Structures are given as structure tokens and as C-alpha cells.
Amino acid sequence: LVTFFIPDSWISIGDIDVEYFNKMNVHYFTPYYVDYSQDRTVFFITNFIEKFQSFPEISRFSYQGYDITKYFIELMIHDFDSSKVDFTPLALGFDFYKYEHGGFENQKVRLLQIKDYKIEEVK
């Protein structure tokens, strides 16, 4: 079995048929992933559409903005003790590195695959 690693930008190329990727063992790295099968994602989408009259898009950072805001509010509530934060993001799993002189950087990247015509996260 051969595994192909492709740039995530290829997924959005209009000329490439999904059937093409589905036949191969395609994987790609991405800093984000939204599982549209989860109830909380459907709830977020419904509320977003009602409020903004448009669909939340990854390219417009709708999910990331929500996740980042919710994560840091939870941190503030718990005096920045991340062990007390019970948070399941819609799009991002965080792994923040704290710099000695201030600031944080997310170190996590996800590996996704196309399988049975769906995009799935490789655990």
C-alpha cells in the first residue's frame, strides 16, 4: 500500500475530482480540521448562519476564532491553569508553547486522510 502526502491546497482545486483522491491513499497536513458529523459543530453552524447570514468557512477563520476565544476565556476563568480547562474545540487541538519572555505559539498540526469520500483525522 502506497501513501501519498499532498499539500492541503490541492484539496480545494476545482479541476480534481474527489474520486481521484478517494482511490489513492491520500494524506495531508493541516493546522485545522472540522468534524461536521458532531452535534456541537452543527449547533455552531446553525447559530453562525442565523447571526451572520453566511456559512462559517475555514478560510475566513470562523471556527478558529471561536475556538481561540473560548479557549483563552476558559484559561482566564481558571487563572491560566490549563490543567483545569475542559475544552473540546470545533476546529483546533491546541498544544501551546510558552516563550520565556511572553507569548504563546501553537505547536500542533493535524494529519488528515481521504477515506470513503470523507476527510478524516489520522489519530
Side-chain angles (χ1 to χ4, degrees):
L1 179 66
V2 176
T3 300
F4 293 96
F5 288 89
I6 64 170
D8 63 341
S9 60
W10 287 17
I11 302 301
S12 61
I13 296 173
D15 296 341
I16 297 178
D17 188 8
V18 176
E19 182 70 31
Y20 179 75
F21 289 130
N22 195 58
K23 288 180 181 176
M24 302 180 339
N25 190 18
V26 171
H27 290 66
Y28 61 97
F29 291 98
T30 183
Y32 53 79
Y33 169 67
V34 177
D35 186 355
Y36 292 96
S37 67
Q38 293 190 14
D39 290 341
R40 60 192 169 85
T41 304
V42 175
F43 181 73
F44 173 81
I45 291 169
T46 304
N47 287 340
F48 190 94
I49 291 171
E50 286 177 8
K51 184 170 185 174
F52 300 108
Q53 284 74 51
S54 67
F55 190 81
E57 299 175 24
I58 292 289
S59 61
R60 292 172 46 208
F61 303 105
S62 301
Y63 298 100
Q64 290 95 326
Y66 169 82
D67 288 340
I68 290 167
T69 302
K70 187 169 187 334
Y71 180 78
F72 280 105
I73 287 173
E74 290 285 331
L75 275 179
M76 285 189 291
I77 289 170
H78 297 289
D79 295 323
F80 291 91
D81 181 356
S82 61
S83 68
K84 295 180 181 177
V85 174
D86 181 24
F87 172 63
T88 305
L90 293 177
L92 297 175
F94 299 112
D95 182 15
F96 284 110
Y97 170 77
K98 184 177 183 337
Y99 288 98
E100 184 177 339
H101 299 291
F104 292 85
E105 181 180 357
N106 183 22
Q107 302 287 308
K108 186 170 185 176
V109 177
R110 294 176 183 255
L111 178 62
L112 302 180
Q113 67 178 340
I114 298 177
K115 185 177 181 182
D116 298 327
Y117 301 100
K118 295 178 186 173
I119 296 173
E120 297 178 350
E121 183 176 14
V122 177
K123 299 288 183 184

